[in-house]
């Protein structure tokens, strides 16, 4: 599939083949696609939690108001992001460049994020969401279906996964072999409502 076909083909699916196992190679291909998403200053805030424990999946399903894909999809990811990643050895985000460039970028990014908690959080969510879309497109390309979710009790899920301080949950993402077609699209807005020229 070319990229535009893959974008068209990606749909949210809630029913999955419970028996299907995704190979490690395919799973890692999807995660690595997520890791190639762009991030501000290459900070890569994402931390992907792969839930392998069946009992944990069941508890997460309870916290997600019974959504079946939480236990029935082959894989369940909880995409989280570290809001303080900008301040945690940021040199490593530019390890492939020269020391001079690295120092310049690290100083710039620290000045940009320091004391701006709202921006630190926004940025973490932005990065995680970008990664999520890459993972969904990679999954589609590999013949899987996905279900992004925010329909869960954030506090309960944070507790169940022992979400560390300074981390946010971006979304859950179920991945597997869908067993139903997607519903017809809910309906996209008209282009002229969402595409605005020059100013509001
Ligand atoms: C951040 C996010 C959270 C979502 N949460 C849920 C959810 O909890 N349960 C669900 O069934 N669908 C959920 N969806 C799926 C949306 O309903 C779906 O993406 C939308 O209707 C468009 O359909 P499509 O993904 O098939 O194009 C979520 C989607 C996103 C991006």
């Amino acid at each position: 599939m070319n990229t535009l076909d893959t974008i068209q083909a990606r749909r949210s699916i809630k029913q999955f083949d419970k028996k299907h196992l995704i190979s490690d190679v395919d799973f890692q291909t999807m995660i690595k696609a997520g890791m190639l998403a762009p991030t501000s200053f290459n900070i890569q805030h994402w931390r992907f939690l792969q839930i392998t424990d069946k009992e944990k999946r069941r508890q997460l399903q309870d916290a997600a108001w019974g959504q079946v894909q939480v236990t029935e999809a082959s894989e369940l990811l909880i995409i989280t992001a570290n809001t303080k990643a900008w301040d945690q050895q940021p040199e490593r985000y530019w390890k492939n460049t020269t020391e001079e460039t690295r120092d310049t970028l690290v100083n710039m990014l620290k000045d940009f994020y320091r004391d701006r908690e709202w921006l630190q959080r926004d940025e973490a969510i932005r990065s995680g969401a970008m990664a999520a879309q890459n993972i969904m497109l990679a999954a589609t390309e590999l013949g899987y279906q996905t279900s992004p979710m925010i329909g869960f009790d954030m506090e309960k899920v944070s507790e169940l996964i022992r979400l560390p301080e300074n981390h946010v949950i971006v979304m859950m993402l179920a991945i597997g072999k869908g067993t139903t077609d997607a519903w017809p699209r809910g309906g996209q807005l008209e282009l002229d409502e969402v595409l605005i020229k020059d100013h509001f």
Side-chain angles (χ1 to χ4, degrees):
M1 270 190 274
N2 71 30
T3 307
L4 289 176
D5 290 340
T6 309
I7 290 169
Q8 285 283 351
R10 184 219 54 82
R11 296 297 315 281
S12 294
I13 297 289
K14 289 169 75 80
Q15 268 73 41
F16 289 91
D17 177 351
K18 289 185 240 180
K19 297 208 176 80
H20 186 83
L21 294 178
I22 296 178
S23 69
D24 287 347
V25 173
D26 279 358
F27 183 71
Q28 285 184 19
T29 300
M30 294 181 231
I31 299 298
K32 285 179 182 168
M35 292 170 66
L36 288 179
T39 54
S40 176
F41 288 103
N42 200 35
I43 294 172
Q44 305 162 72
H45 306 76
W46 42 65
R47 302 292 180 262
F48 307 109
L49 201 60
Q50 180 188 16
I51 309 294
T52 59
D53 182 87
K54 281 203 163 62
E55 176 55 19
K56 187 72 76 187
R57 293 267 292 257
R58 206 196 50 68
Q59 293 168 343
L60 287 164
Q61 185 178 34
D62 283 349
W65 302 305
Q67 296 201 64
V68 290
Q69 64 272 43
V70 175
T71 51
E72 295 188 355
S74 309
E75 292 286 347
L76 181 73
L77 278 181
I78 303 188
I79 301 178
T80 76
N82 180 351
T83 62
K84 297 293 175 198
W86 65 275
D87 200 24
Q88 294 172 353
Q89 299 167 276
E91 305 73 26
R92 62 207 163 109
Y93 311 138
W94 293 97
K95 63 182 178 202
N96 294 343
T97 188
T98 63
E99 195 177 343
E100 194 188 350
T101 306
R102 188 159 52 240
D103 288 349
T104 307
L105 286 164
V106 165
N107 286 332
M108 275 171 73
L109 79 86
K110 285 192 170 173
D111 287 346
F112 192 61
Y113 291 109
R114 190 182 300 112
D115 299 329
R116 299 168 91 192
E117 303 280 327
W118 60 271
L119 185 60
Q120 296 168 20
R121 185 187 162 89
D122 284 0
E123 214 68 273
I125 300 275
R126 249 191 291 277
S127 299
M130 293 277 224
Q133 180 70 348
N134 268 19
I135 294 170
M136 289 190 278
L137 293 178
T140 306
E141 176 69 33
L142 292 171
Y144 301 106
Q145 284 70 42
T146 56
S147 171
M149 281 169 276
I150 202 67
F152 53 85
D153 181 322
M154 196 60 83
E155 278 73 38
K156 270 196 197 139
V157 171
S158 303
E159 208 176 290
L160 283 168
I161 64 170
R162 303 188 202 156
L163 186 73
E165 196 185 357
N166 298 323
H167 283 59
V168 287
I169 295 179
V170 179
M171 69 184 81
M172 278 192 197
L173 185 57
I175 310 170
K177 285 281 179 197
T179 55
T180 53
D181 289 335
W183 290 358
R185 287 189 192 277
Q188 309 316 116
L189 297 176
E190 295 301 322
L191 186 66
D192 65 5
E193 183 176 346
V194 297
L195 176 64
I196 294 127
K197 291 198 199 308
D198 299 328
H199 56 76
F200 280 93

